Every structure is written in structure tokens, then in C-alpha cells.
Amino acid sequence: MLGILGGRVYDPQHGKDGEVGDIWVKDGRVVAAAEVDRGRAEVVDAAGLVVMPGGVDIHAHIVGGEVNAGRKMRPEDHRGHERARSGTMRAGAGGTVPSTYATGYLYSELGYTTVMQASAAPLVVRHTHEELEDTPNLDNGAFIVMGNNHFVMKAIADKQPERARDYVAWLLGASQGYAIKVVNPGGVENWKWGRNVAELDDEVIGYGVTPRQIVQTLAGIADDLGLPHPVHIHGINLGRHTSARTSIEMIEALDGHRVHLCHLQFLSYGPGPGHVHRSEAAAVAAAVNARPLVTVDVGQVIFGSATTMTCDGPLQHRLHVTTGGRWINDDVESESGGGIVPITYKASNPINATMWLTGLELFLLIDDPWRVYLTTDHPNAGCFTSYPQVIRLLMDRGYRREMFDKLHPRARKGALLPELDREYSLGEIAIITRAGPARTLGLAAKGHLGVGADADITVYEEHDDKEAMFARPRYVYKGGVLVARDGAAVADVAGRTFSVAPPYDPAIETDLRTFFKEAYTVSFDNYSVLAGGAHTEQVACG
Ligand SMILES: [Zn+2]
């Protein structure tokens, strides 16, 4: 039993915006004061401190095939980021793609307690789950890529949406996944022929379906199945000067559906002078503001070293050609593809500088903080360890201006950012880093401090420098256990993996056996991840 007493509580879901209050914890959950024997409870004096729910990251790449390949690809990235073993705490390596233990500890040290793995191809999802289990101090879940899946595209081509729905329901259960992920719908399949898609109505080679049909079908399935999280979309033309236009067309095409658009910064550019993109954040934010069922995360660029990794194979090839760096291409049979390219973002590079200000403009122009979330698409736009810097940029316009003045002049010319005076409040930061993502993920016990919530609690010392404040929480509790203190991880607890298993017509399995014989290197019977480990928790659909 634990009491965190007299802190200034920021719990936006319950309308608490810094009011002084007590939080009581029993058996890993927040409980009413009456349920606790005060004489026996451990008591933390939080007077003058800021108390928030544990952070919830809605989109990061922390485990699995692409992350492990990134680790192996960049030995130089680990240098200077070693973590020695100490006591029961395990050794590891940090850098832009930290090892599993280091990932758990580093998130704890920032006050985060839940992180969703943004992509996993079902064929290789066992590795994802093994690494999730090996990542301490975080509850988690995996988004399953389906936007270039042969079975889905064939069902759409055959005008059999219910067949696609049964397959998706089966696949989520078979892979122990949490949500439907779409990456460059149709484009990754076309990349297998050296091509891509550029418009929502371009054709996918061999299937005759379009990106528009793929996203509309999958968004409809997520709604039909009552999945806790809507379809999670990385759109088409990522990084291109046509991306803002197609992002807005995507939002319009999905009108009426719940939809989450990830790392939207990378998809909010228009054509600028010369070869430099221009930020179209204002137009994209207006489209988001106009449709209350749309949520987004930003994917804010951080200047410095990053490792890009995505299922968007054609994008990664283009990035490799542009930067001349190392490159891995991957192909996951009939399911997906992908690539990895290291990158360094520089304020002195006009394209990188434009990306940086595009992200901040999205944060500042999307009116409702409940629908825009803090991410760096870790490790694509920067490492999650830079979140405190992003928080300072949002809360402190003087600091933002100082950084803006260092950008390449071509990026600064005509930019909207210096005109945006908005500063986020602490309550709004609690929304974009906890309450909002938890709500959109459908995780009822996360992102708030009401009775019944998981006792994931972060206590900060308030500081004028918000980067310093958020970089070093005084106490971080995961399920009521103190896991970090004064910015250092002090304990190692197992996390839980959330998954869904929506019902489906078992007749689909007969078709799937035939499909597996024709298209897969593994047999149908060996494909499914076995359900029900000690670390898994099924979240209800409907
Ligand atoms: Zn991502």
C-alpha cells in the first residue's frame, strides 16, 4: 500500500489540472482512500511536486525484426551509451536503438510506463513478442501490418469484404496483435516490382486494388470488429512534397471512420522553391481539426543522430539514394517489406529544418490536445529520450524562437512557426503524453489516476526549464512499484502485453490452409503465436 500525498495532480481525464490531492495505491491499482490502512501504507510526501499518470507512447519502434536489424547495423551508435550491470539491473546499450533492457530502463527514467510497438509483420511476430517480454517496466502491445497483405488485397479485389474481416480478426488473434497497422498501402507491394504508389487511386500490381480501397476496407473492419484502437495509418508519399495533399485526401476518404494517422509530420509537406519542401502543416491541421474522429501523433524531428526503420520499403530506398548511407531492404513474403537507413538531422540542412518546424506547427495548429500526441516515431525522427526537449519546445516559445533562429535561412523564409505564440500548459502536456494516447488506444486503466487505474504514476519536481523537469522525474511507479528515482531506473518489473482476439467465422481457416500451402514458407499449423503467456492480457472488443 502506498500514498502519494499532497502533490499537484494533473489527471485530465478527471478534470484535475494541478489541484492538490492524494493518490492511494493498493495491489497495483489506484484505490479510494477508505480502502487503505493508513498506518501500514508507505507514504510519499509530494507537497510542491507535480503528479501525473505514467506516460503512454502510442507509436515507437522498440523491438522485433526491424529494430534488431537496426541494432546490428549500427555498432558505432552504441559507443558512449553503454549501461553497466548494477545489482539486479541488467547491462545494455543505448544510442538511437537501445537494447531491450536499456529501452525499458530509459523509458522508466522519463516517467513512461506504456509503449506500443508500432509495427510487426505477423510472420515474424514471435520475435517481437519475445523482445517485448524481455523489455522491463513497460506495458505494451504490437500493431500488425496489413496494408500490403496479399490475402486482404485479394479479398478486396474479389469484392468479399466479410472475408477480409474474418481474416483480419483471425490474424490479430493468431499474431497476438493489438491493432491494424497500415504502411504505404499498396506501395510496399508495388516496390517488389521496383515501383510505388503516388495517388490514392493508383493500382496495386497484380491485384488491381487501390490504396483508397485498402484503407477504407481496413478502417471499416476496425470499426466493425469494435477494436479498442482504430486503424493506425502511415499514409502514402511519406517524405514527398505531395504528402500533405494525399494526407488530406486520406482524411477525406476515411470520413466517418475512427482513424489514427501516425508521425503526420513526415506526411505534411508541399512543394517549395527549388528542391526544398514547404511545410503544409496549416492545411493538414485544418483537415484534422474539421474531423473529430481523426487522431494523430506527430513524429517530431530531433536534430542529431537517428535510425530510420519502416515497412515502407520504397521510401527507404529513396532515402538511401539521397543520403548515401547504409541501407537494408527487407521482404516479408506475402505480408510486408521494409528498410533501414541511418540518418543525421541537421538544423543547417534546409530539408531537415523544414521537417522540424512542420512537426511543431502541427502541435501548435491542431486545436484539440486530445487528438495530437507526442512521438518522435522513435528511432525514425529521433530517440524517445528527446521527449523532454520536445515538451520544452511546446511549453516555452522563447526557447522555440531561439532554436528557430538557428535553422537554415531557406527553411525560415516564409515559415509560419514564429507567428505561433501558443504555449502548452502542464495539463495539456499530460494530455498529449498520457491521457490522450491512452484514450485512443482504448486502454481503460491507463493515462489517468482515477479509482481502478493501474498505479502507473510519475512525480516531477517543477522547474522553469521544462526539459530538465521532464528528463528527471523524482519518482516513477509502475503498477505501484517504484521503478525509477531521480532520473535513474532502480527496479526491473515485468510488463504486460495487451492483445485482442475478435471473433471470426472459423470457415476462413479452410481457405487459409490452401493459401498457406501456396504462398508461405511456414505451414498454417506453425504460424500462430500461442496465446496466454503470463505476460499477456486480452483487451475486449466491441
Ligand atoms: Zn513508425
Side-chain angles (χ1 to χ4, degrees), residues 302-306 343-346 381:
I302 306 296
F303 295 125
S305 180
I343 196 168
T344 302
Y345 297 107
K346 294 181 181 147

Side-chain angles (χ1 to χ4, degrees), residues 30-44:
V30 175
V31 295
E35 282 189 52
V36 175
D37 175 354
R38 294 187 184 213
R40 290 175 50 212
E42 181 196 337
V43 165
V44 173

Side-chain angles (χ1 to χ4, degrees), residues 59 61 263 377 380:
H59 185 113
H61 302 261
H263 43 72
D377 189 15
N380 282 285

Side-chain angles (χ1 to χ4, degrees), residues 64-74 96-97 306-313 315-317 319-320 323 325-330 337-343 379-380:
E66 82 268 29
V67 174
N68 218 35
R71 290 178 187 130
K72 287 191 279 191
M73 188 186 197
R74 303 202 60 192
T96 64
V97 197
T307 306
T308 68
M309 51 181 64
T310 165
C311 299
D312 196 338
L315 160 75
Q316 291 297 65
H317 176 251
L319 194 58
H320 157 68
T323 63
R326 274 172 267 180
W327 169 51
I328 292 175
N329 179 66
D330 195 14
I340 303 169
V341 178
I343 196 168
N380 282 285

Side-chain angles (χ1 to χ4, degrees), residues 216-432:
Q216 285 178 337
T217 303
L218 291 172
I221 289 172
D223 288 347
D224 269 8
L225 296 176
L227 299 182
H229 184 49
V231 63
H232 192 110
I233 299 179
H234 154 158
I236 64 172
N237 291 320
L238 187 142
R240 290 181 178 263
H241 64 73
T242 47
S243 57
R245 176 175 59 76
T246 49
S247 290
I248 293 167
E249 288 171 7
M250 179 83 79
I251 290 170
E252 287 165 356
L254 293 171
D255 196 22
H257 294 289
R258 291 169 70 212
V259 53
H260 181 82
L261 302 175
C262 56
H263 43 72
L264 194 56
Q265 173 276 129
F266 282 123
L267 293 123
S268 298
Y269 314 132
H275 292 293
V276 179
H277 298 5
R278 192 180 63 216
S279 166
E280 290 283 359
V284 174
V288 173
N289 286 337
R291 285 179 177 75
L293 295 178
V294 176
T295 56
V296 314
D297 67 85
V298 169
Q300 176 63 36
V301 159
I302 306 296
F303 295 125
S305 180
T307 306
T308 68
M309 51 181 64
T310 165
C311 299
D312 196 338
L315 160 75
Q316 291 297 65
H317 176 251
R318 194 163 56 84
L319 194 58
H320 157 68
V321 171
T322 313
T323 63
R326 274 172 267 180
W327 169 51
I328 292 175
N329 179 66
D330 195 14
D331 161 39
V332 192
E333 298 192 9
S334 56
E335 297 181 344
S336 185
I340 303 169
V341 178
I343 196 168
T344 302
Y345 297 107
K346 294 181 181 147
S348 58
N349 173 311
I351 295 173
N352 299 165
T354 299
M355 298 165 97
W356 180 86
L357 64 86
T358 302
L360 291 174
E361 288 176 0
L362 282 175
F363 274 120
L364 297 168
L365 291 167
I366 293 174
D367 298 328
D368 181 1
W370 286 94
R371 297 200 286 123
V372 55
Y373 314 132
L374 194 162
T375 63
T376 57
D377 189 15
H378 164 81
N380 282 285
C383 187
F384 65 83
T385 50
S386 298
Y387 289 173
Q389 188 192 126
V390 182
I391 292 172
R392 184 175 177 202
L393 286 165
L394 296 176
M395 295 191 75
D396 179 347
R397 66 178 176 227
Y399 175 59
R400 199 156 71 216
R401 182 69 211 214
E402 207 178 287
M403 292 283 284
F404 177 81
D405 288 340
K406 294 178 185 158
L407 302 184
H408 189 284
R410 268 197 285 169
R412 274 188 279 138
K413 195 171 174 213
L416 193 56
L417 187 65
E419 295 167 34
L420 303 176
D421 284 342
R422 180 175 170 193
E423 289 180 325
Y424 272 63
S425 66
L426 273 178
E428 287 176 321
I429 294 296
I431 296 172
I432 69 168

Side-chain angles (χ1 to χ4, degrees), residues 143-155:
F143 301 159
I144 304 301
V145 292
M146 303 187 195
N148 293 273
N149 182 296
H150 288 192
F151 197 92
V152 170
M153 292 191 293
K154 178 82 167 42

